[in-house]
Amino acid sequence: MRVTILALMFLVFVAGGYWTWTYQPKVRTKIEDLLSSSTFQTLEVRYSAETIMDAHRKELLKDTDHVFLEPTLKFIPYLLMDVKYNRSTDKTGEGIILWGLVDGEMVINTGTWEKTHGFTDCIASNATRQEFKIINALASRGGSWDRDGLSKFLNIENNILDTWVDSCRKKSLIVQNGNTYRLHLQNPKLQVIPETKLDQWLVTKPTKHALRVKKRYRATQIENIARAAFGHDFAIRKTTEIFLPVYSIVVQNPDGSQMTTYWNALNGKRLVTAPNEIE
């Protein structure tokens, strides 16, 4: 009986700990503060919440009955990778890649915060290097290609092509319409140079009281998908976890409801993202 009671108490403790870690970000932050180092690296805050609210007041406040609540600064985790790749037949490219540990997409340019679209699905399906040959070929043709063209471009035997294609279809990465294969993504953006245009400074911030968003992906998942996507000549020399500062700006509506929007503190622009990626 005593063993049963202890086992039940242990299960309750584990379940309670999981719920707290998942649904109580403030408690999670305090725990992380205790376990992590005293500082972390983040991109520099260039816009204050007040500046953003003033610039977008007419957009966010419909009338005088709508009011701003106190904004919150949060930090979204990214993986910074020092990489090298084959730029051309006689030149090697070296640079850095900034890849989201929450949304699973690569940042193309930190000035505009332009990002890829489609890598999240590839991570979820654990796409292989062979499957990426199909994905990249279709992406290079605007997202679709007929079977003969795809076969000639990849220069592989039909039975190998069919195996790779069938694997992509089972993972819902591509679909087939007659004799044509198409990427199973809306507005895919996968044909990118494996390098992020970044001209912003990294700064060090105290860990204590900083609200850091929970990661959805492990660094190894990002590294594996990058290697699969960018081929044999792509190499990762070093990785560092950094953060993007983001403001959570809340508007109180007359009926008591609230509207929350998220703003990039680096460039002052609104982030189009799902709430569950920030909270």
Side-chain angles (χ1 to χ4, degrees):
M1 177 64 72
R2 185 177 180 182
V3 173
T4 302
I5 293 173
L6 289 174
L8 288 173
M9 290 176 63
F10 176 76
L11 290 174
V12 170
F13 175 78
V14 171
Y18 174 80
W19 183 88
T20 301
W21 184 264
T22 304
Y23 298 106
Q24 297 295 320
K26 292 183 179 180
V27 176
R28 183 175 69 238
T29 296
K30 290 181 179 179
I31 295 173
E32 288 178 335
D33 287 349
L34 294 173
L35 297 177
S36 62
S37 61
S38 59
T39 61
F40 64 97
Q41 286 188 298
T42 175
L43 292 165
E44 186 180 12
V45 172
R46 292 189 170 182
Y47 289 80
S48 68
E50 291 71 25
T51 299
I52 293 172
M53 289 188 289
D54 287 341
H56 299 275
R57 184 173 297 273
K58 291 183 179 180
E59 173 189 345
L60 297 175
L61 301 181
K62 297 179 181 179
D63 52 44
T64 55
D65 292 328
H66 293 73
V67 295
F68 285 121
L69 300 183
E70 187 69 23
T72 303
L73 181 62
K74 300 183 179 183
F75 295 88
I76 303 178
Y78 281 79
L79 189 67
L80 186 70
M81 297 185 285
D82 179 7
V83 305
K84 62 179 180 179
Y85 59 95
N86 186 18
R87 187 186 293 271
S88 62
T89 55
D90 60 349
K91 185 177 292 187
T92 291
E94 296 181 355
I96 62 95
I97 292 178
L98 194 59
W99 207 301
L101 289 167
V102 175
D103 66 3
E105 297 292 345
M106 171 186 156
V107 179
I108 299 171
N109 187 319
T110 58
T112 60
W113 215 253
E114 179 187 5
K115 307 183 82 169
T116 57
H117 176 61
F119 282 117
T120 302
D121 296 66
C122 296
I123 295 172
S125 62
N126 196 26
T128 65
R129 185 166 289 174
Q130 290 73 28
E131 290 161 353
F132 257 108
K133 290 183 178 180
I134 301 293
I135 294 167
N136 287 333
L138 295 179
S140 70
R141 296 283 293 189
S144 65
W145 210 346
D146 61 73
R147 188 176 187 278
D148 291 339
L150 190 60
S151 177
K152 291 177 182 178
F153 177 79
L154 294 175
N155 193 26
I156 55 176
E157 297 179 1
N158 286 337
N159 62 326
I160 297 176
L161 174 65
D162 292 339
T163 299
W164 292 359
V165 165
D166 188 53
S167 180
C168 287
R169 289 177 58 193
K170 288 180 179 178
K171 293 182 178 181
S172 297
L173 294 171
I174 69 172
V175 292
Q176 182 177 1
N177 295 317
N179 199 37
T180 300
Y181 301 115
R182 174 177 59 81
L183 288 175
H184 198 17
L185 294 164
Q186 184 177 7
N187 301 321
K189 187 181 291 185
L190 297 167
Q191 282 287 289
V192 294
I193 297 172
E195 188 173 345
T196 298
K197 184 178 180 182
L198 187 152
D199 57 2
Q200 281 78 16
W201 291 101
L202 283 175
V203 297
T204 301
K205 184 173 179 63
T207 300
K208 191 174 182 180
H209 303 314
L211 293 176
R212 287 175 293 173
V213 176
K214 183 182 177 182
K215 292 179 288 188
R216 295 178 63 187
Y217 301 103
R218 301 184 306 277
T220 52
Q221 288 179 284
I222 302 301
E223 293 174 41
N224 289 340
I225 210 68
R227 291 190 181 100
F230 298 129
H232 291 283
D233 298 320
F234 174 81
I236 301 171
R237 299 187 291 193
K238 181 183 177 182
T239 64
T240 307
E241 184 176 307
I242 69 167
F243 292 80
L244 170 70
V246 170
Y247 290 113
S248 173
I249 295 178
V250 182
V251 173
Q252 179 81 47
N253 299 322
D255 62 359
S257 62
Q258 297 178 352
M259 179 187 73
T260 304
T261 55
Y262 303 97
W263 299 80
N264 189 325
L266 182 68
N267 61 16
K269 296 182 179 180
R270 184 171 177 173
L271 286 177
V272 181
T273 185
N276 62 357
E277 292 182 0
I278 302 292
E279 299 299 338

